[in-house]
Amino acid sequence: MQDNGALDLPWQTLNDEEQTVVFYMGIKSLPIITQQLVKVGRAMSTPAALIRKGTHANQQVIKGTIETLESLVILHHIKPPSLIVIGNVVDTFADSQLKNLGYLSPIDNK
């Protein structure tokens, strides 16, 4: 929940390194998110990904770490709508498997 620019989340409960954390529409709050996660003990080297326009034909998946997320947003011009995924699950898939993951092409009934 966001209130007056502050994110009011149970940050300490998001510290489990086996837990995957996903933030919807969190690009503008990314500095707060990364700062708070590190503050409660998440390693800066924790895998993280930015997913822009998920399930669309022009989906982008950019992988990094908590430490590199903010610079990746700037470098790749990431804008909402985007997801932020943090956790070891990010390293589960090879980059080639993330191309248009979940995108369904229209069926040609001709």
Side-chain angles (χ1 to χ4, degrees):
M1 175 173 29
Q2 190 163 0
D3 184 27
N4 296 327
L7 289 176
D8 183 21
L9 296 173
W11 294 106
Q12 192 59 44
T13 65
L14 305 177
N15 185 30
D16 183 352
E17 68 182 41
E18 297 300 318
Q19 182 181 40
T20 300
V21 182
V22 178
F23 293 91
Y24 297 86
M25 303 301 285
I27 296 299
K28 291 182 181 179
S29 301
L30 186 57
I32 296 167
I33 292 168
T34 56
Q35 178 186 39
Q36 290 297 322
L37 289 174
V38 170
K39 183 177 176 181
V40 298
R42 279 282 183 138
M44 292 183 80
S45 61
T46 301
L50 301 163
I51 303 173
R52 183 168 189 270
K53 293 192 174 188
T55 74
H56 290 250
N58 57 344
Q59 170 179 301
Q60 289 178 281
V61 179
I62 294 120
K63 292 169 46 174
T65 64
I66 288 177
E67 182 176 26
T68 63
L69 277 180
E70 289 181 61
S71 62
L72 291 172
V73 167
I74 294 165
L75 179 66
H76 295 281
H77 308 286
I78 301 299
K79 306 269 187 248
S82 299
L83 293 175
I84 302 164
V85 181
I86 298 173
N88 294 331
V89 70
V90 170
D91 287 339
T92 303
F93 299 99
D95 290 340
S96 63
Q97 293 174 301
L98 297 175
K99 302 290 185 218
N100 295 328
L101 183 67
Y103 174 69
L104 300 176
S105 298
I107 297 175
D108 185 7
N109 289 327
K110 292 181 183 181

